[in-house]
Amino acid sequence: MIKKNVLFALVLLIPSLLSAQALSGWWTGCNIEASVCNYKTVLSLDLPSVTLKHNETGLFLSFSPYHLDTFGADDSETETGVHFEDCYQSFVNAKFGIDLLKNNSQLDLNPYVACNWNPFDWKTTLPFEAGCDLTLFMSEKDESAFPFRCKVATLNAGCRFRDGKPYFTTGISIDLAGFLYTCLMSEYYEVSGE
């Protein structure tokens, strides 16, 4: 009963907090990233991501309900050159950081820590990452519902810990949903003459 009351209170509280001037919130669609960790290729996918940010300090917290990454390994014995092994899925994903350019609507510079947890797999150690990313957004937000912030691309560098081992990583990611949204909106404006 207590859990239901807490959940009900959060459902009522979050929209009122978002409407206050102190916090802002937005979502992004489907993040696809290619990165290099200690000379190994990593492809990852996050969908979707919801972010809450304190406007005055720039502190933010992002959640994503699904994360998948594939850790590439060099394969000198086959003709393909690289094969992807060690897929990891997680269903509780969080990222905490600070936006150093908090008043810039098109650019975010974020030192962060992030973790990915799969509550259904107790054998795997908890992967986490610390680093900094630079993200470019489109200038407009779709404010029709909970705001959709259209991400163009993110460059990041940091240190990832996986299976108890550190990996230095650098990569680039795009938001596939943002890309599709941009294409559809440009078609809409072209047809409607706006």
Side-chain angles (χ1 to χ4, degrees):
M1 185 67 176
I2 294 174
K3 289 182 182 178
K4 287 183 180 178
N5 290 337
V6 169
L7 182 62
F8 182 71
L10 285 174
V11 167
L12 292 177
L13 183 63
I14 287 174
S16 60
L17 287 174
L18 289 175
S19 63
Q21 296 297 322
L23 294 177
S24 60
W26 63 86
W27 68 279
T28 55
C30 175
N31 193 58
I32 298 173
E33 179 178 2
S35 58
V36 176
C37 288
N38 287 16
Y39 308 108
K40 294 183 178 183
T41 305
V42 177
L43 299 176
S44 60
L45 170 76
D46 289 279
L47 53 105
S49 177
V50 175
T51 301
L52 298 174
K53 182 173 83 170
H54 187 261
N55 295 328
E56 197 171 308
T57 62
L59 292 171
F60 71 89
L61 183 61
S62 294
F63 298 98
S64 174
Y66 182 74
H67 171 83
L68 169 72
D69 67 42
T70 57
F71 213 82
D74 292 330
D75 188 359
S76 57
E77 297 180 7
T78 66
E79 295 178 5
T80 58
V82 172
H83 69 279
F84 290 98
E85 60 181 26
D86 195 17
C87 285
Y88 180 76
Q89 297 182 76
S90 57
F91 304 97
V92 179
N93 307 288
K95 183 177 180 180
F96 176 73
I98 184 167
D99 180 9
L100 300 177
L101 307 174
K102 57 188 175 219
N103 296 323
N104 192 325
S105 64
Q106 287 185 282
L107 209 57
D108 285 358
L109 178 62
N110 304 322
Y112 67 89
V113 291
C115 69
N116 310 102
W117 179 49
N118 185 348
F120 308 110
D121 182 7
W122 293 97
K123 296 177 184 175
T124 307
T125 58
L126 185 71
F128 67 95
E129 182 177 340
C132 188
D133 62 31
L134 179 66
T135 304
L136 176 64
F137 290 95
M138 298 275 294
S139 58
E140 307 162 354
K141 272 191 207 173
D142 182 359
E143 301 283 354
S144 57
F146 191 69
F148 174 66
R149 196 170 181 198
C150 189
K151 183 177 97 166
V152 177
T154 297
L155 297 172
N156 75 317
C159 185
R160 185 174 295 175
F161 293 87
R162 185 178 170 131
D163 296 328
K165 299 176 185 174
Y167 296 93
F168 291 103
T169 178
T170 184
I172 186 167
S173 65
I174 62 165
D175 184 358
L176 184 59
F179 176 74
L180 293 174
Y181 173 81
T182 304
C183 292
L184 291 173
M185 290 309 292
S186 65
E187 286 296 319
Y188 168 76
Y189 290 137
E190 187 176 312
V191 170
S192 66
E194 291 182 24

